[in-house]
Amino acid sequence: WLAFARFNLGVALDALGKSVEAQDRYRAALAVTPGDSVAMCRLASSYYAQGKYDDAMKSIGMNASSMIAGAATPTSVSAGTNITAAIM
């Protein structure tokens, strides 16, 4: 429940435009449940909305230069698919 609470607080903070605080909560949720692809995608989306594209890619285990070269290797296929869809 702790990760869920942290994640939901991140969502609320993002909705209020408090991206930095939201990102802290998403990272806190990921500290408890490191493989949570939804939290990874929310963190990446929050970074992306701020124009922090490299941070967005890194947060889901992707390297922006390899993505451009077509050789991306996400640590989570689900997270990689979701953020790629969000970016496109």
Side-chain angles (χ1 to χ4, degrees):
W1 292 100
L2 181 59
F4 186 69
R6 290 175 177 175
F7 171 80
N8 282 333
L9 181 56
V11 172
L13 289 165
D14 250 342
L16 292 172
K18 298 182 177 188
S19 299
V20 174
E21 294 94 334
Q23 292 158 11
D24 287 341
R25 295 301 94 214
Y26 296 137
R27 283 190 297 273
L30 287 165
V32 177
T33 55
D36 184 346
S37 63
V38 176
M40 272 190 261
C41 287
R42 280 291 192 157
L43 176 60
S45 179
S46 185
Y47 282 138
Y48 187 84
Q50 287 187 296
K52 297 179 179 179
Y53 307 119
D54 286 337
D55 289 335
M57 300 303 280
K58 288 176 191 172
S59 71
I60 58 165
M62 296 179 84
N63 179 306
S65 61
S66 67
M67 177 89 171
I68 292 167
T73 56
T75 57
S76 167
V77 174
S78 175
T81 301
N82 289 339
I83 193 61
T84 301
I87 291 169
M88 301 300 174

